[in-house]
């Protein structure tokens, strides 16, 4: 599994220099979190989940 190619990341994701035990480490621009994955489709899933979360809480942080 060490030689699994890494696909192109979705817009807004940047691969950082350090890997976690050989797994690429990604950072979402303007977000305070990192994700370790070889499957860049997982980054799309995280984008969708984050967008839904933001819609649920609204821009003021209060649940609607």
């Amino acid at each position: 599994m060490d030689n699994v190619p890494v696909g192109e990341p979705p817009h807004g994701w940047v691969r950082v220099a350090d890997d976690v035990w050989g797994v690429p480490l990604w950072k979402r621009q303007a977000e305070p979190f990192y994700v370790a994955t070889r499957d860049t489709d997982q980054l799309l899933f995280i984008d969708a989940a984050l967008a839904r979360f933001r819609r649920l809480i609204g821009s003021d942080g209060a649940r609607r």
Side-chain angles (χ1 to χ4, degrees):
M1 186 124 181
D2 290 335
N3 294 326
V4 175
V6 175
E8 287 295 316
H11 178 73
W13 287 92
V14 178
R15 186 172 177 177
V16 296
D18 298 330
D19 287 356
V20 177
W21 293 302
V23 178
L25 187 64
W26 303 91
K27 180 172 184 336
R28 180 79 168 109
Q29 293 175 342
E31 296 291 345
F33 59 84
Y34 295 82
V35 175
T37 184
R38 285 189 178 98
D39 183 0
T40 54
D41 287 341
Q42 293 297 315
L43 303 176
L44 290 171
F45 173 79
I46 291 169
D47 278 343
L50 185 59
R52 183 158 195 264
F53 175 74
R54 286 194 175 127
R55 281 193 309 271
L56 287 173
I57 64 168
S59 61
D60 60 0
R63 185 176 172 100
R64 294 181 180 196

